[in-house]
């Protein structure tokens, strides 16, 4: 639990603060960029929330923080309700997508997502275990699948399996991180798990990285740590510094996404982004040009 005594000095004065237990995962900055910034490997409050909607966003960050490094007086935390998460994000003809919140330290605060779809609901990567979140997810229906995009983001998958008895998927090359899963994807061919729900192996960041595509058009791409959006420079990003396995293979995996029709990019880390019509291909081509020049 965050304590005032450990609050970092960069916080502007006021009720909300970040303390030194922050692991700088970036989650609070994605959720409430008007109030949270990061420097020197520690986030801080750069502007106190005052309006109701601002306080609401700061409270979302407080609940989501994987190490409880965000604090506020009880007069604010008493407003936290059980139904803060999951948050609706978008939808297409194949399903509705929610952000789960409740990030886990075990996945360095990675985002996890919930798809509500007629053929069965899907968790993409694992939030930290929360009975409160499980109850809210249950209200939206049972979870049929849990898809783990790669070894880093498996977090509390066992506890979510115990709660929902869902069928867990991971690529076989990352499956030592979750050895008891029910299903393993092999090779680099994509798999249509169900109509409008496709898994595409994208080795590179890890040997068993995969992405998930929702929909046949106007798609939602759950990209794990394969690529994400950098809001500061306004472009699609893949990181050589954070490539744990094979950068050349990661570049090939990026190129294999050029036949998609992505409207929403929802990564494990980094900013989500909504593309306008035609913008995905332009952004992907720019990224391919950039990363090819890095070799
Ligand atoms: S969500 Fe928590 S751990 Fe992550 S950057 Fe913010 S304060 Fe730090």
């Amino acid at each position: 639990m965050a304590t005032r005594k450990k609050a970092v000095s960069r916080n502007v004065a006021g009720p909300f603060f970040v303390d030194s237990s922050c692991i700088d995962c970036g989650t609070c900055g994605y959720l409430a960029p008007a109030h949270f910034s990061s420097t020197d490997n520690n986030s801080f409050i750069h502007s106190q929330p005052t309006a109701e909607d601002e306080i609401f966003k700061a409270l979302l960050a407080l609940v989501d923080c994987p190490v409880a490094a965000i604090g506020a007086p009880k007069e604010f935390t008493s407003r936290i309700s059980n139904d803060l998460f999951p948050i609706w994000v978008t939808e297409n003809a194949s399903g509705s997508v929610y952000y789960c919140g409740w990030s886990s330290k075990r996945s360095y605060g990675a985002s996890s997502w919930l798809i509500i779809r007629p053929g069965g609901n899907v968790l993409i990567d694992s939030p930290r275990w929360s009975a409160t979140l499980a109850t809210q997810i249950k209200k939206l229906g049972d979870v049929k699948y849990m898809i783990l995009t790669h070894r880093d983001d498996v977090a509390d998958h066992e506890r979510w399996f115990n709660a929902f008895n869902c069928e867990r998927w991971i690529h076989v090359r990352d499956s030592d991180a979750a050895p008891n899963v029910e299903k393993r994807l092999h090779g680099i061919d994509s798999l249509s798990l169900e109509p409008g729900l496709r898994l595409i192996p994208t080795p590179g960041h890890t040997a068993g990285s995969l992405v998930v595509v929702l929909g046949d058009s106007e798609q939602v791409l759950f990209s794990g740590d394969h690529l994400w959006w950098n809001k500061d420079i306004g472009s699609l990003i893949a990181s050589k510094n954070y490539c744990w396995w094979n950068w050349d293979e990661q570049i090939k995996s990026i190129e294999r996404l050029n036949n998609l029709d992505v409207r929403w990019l929802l990564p494990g880390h980094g900013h989500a982004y909504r593309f306008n019509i035609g913008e995905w291909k332009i952004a992907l081509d720019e990224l391919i040009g950039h990363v090819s020049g890095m070799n």
Side-chain angles (χ1 to χ4, degrees), residues 18-19 21-29 36 38 42-44 61 64-70 109:
V18 178
D19 77 12
S21 64
C22 168
I23 59 172
D24 202 26
C25 69
T27 297
C28 54
F36 294 88
S38 168
N42 210 114
S43 284
F44 62 96
D64 202 343
C65 177
V67 292
I70 301 170

